[in-house]
Amino acid sequence: IAIDTDSHILTGTCLLGKHIPSQVSQLTIHNCTSNQWRVIGRALAKSTNLKILQLTNCTLGNVFCSELSNSKSLLSLTIRTSAA
């Protein structure tokens, strides 16, 4: 699944409630900003099937990575500052 918000604000409810079914194993997020990265990171870390996560041009902080480090399923994490 790929999510591109065209620079809109991403929320935990929007991301997790509408876009990510529990069986998703690969997720790519582009051009996202949020003030809920802690919630998003925590929720993604709880996903039992998520293996590959790619983030490009997202306004992440240390708190997101800290929460995501609790994932038991994630095998690959890519964080980029440009889509090139």
Side-chain angles (χ1 to χ4, degrees), residues 4-74:
D4 189 336
T5 64
D6 291 327
S7 300
H8 291 104
I9 296 173
L10 185 64
T11 65
T13 303
C14 172
L15 176 68
L16 303 170
K18 297 179 183 178
H19 296 295
I20 304 178
S22 61
Q23 70 272 19
V24 167
S25 64
Q26 183 171 345
L27 177 64
T28 302
I29 302 173
H30 299 284
N31 302 323
C32 294
T33 60
S34 181
N35 61 358
Q36 297 182 8
W37 284 114
R38 179 185 304 273
V39 174
I40 294 167
R42 186 178 303 137
L44 290 173
K46 289 180 181 177
S47 173
T48 57
N49 292 317
L50 186 61
K51 307 285 187 232
I52 300 168
L53 178 60
Q54 299 176 335
L55 300 115
T56 306
N57 290 335
C58 296
T59 59
L60 301 174
N62 291 337
V63 66
F64 173 80
C65 294
S66 178
E67 292 294 339
L68 194 60
S69 70
N70 295 312
S71 173
K72 303 286 190 241
S73 65
L74 194 63

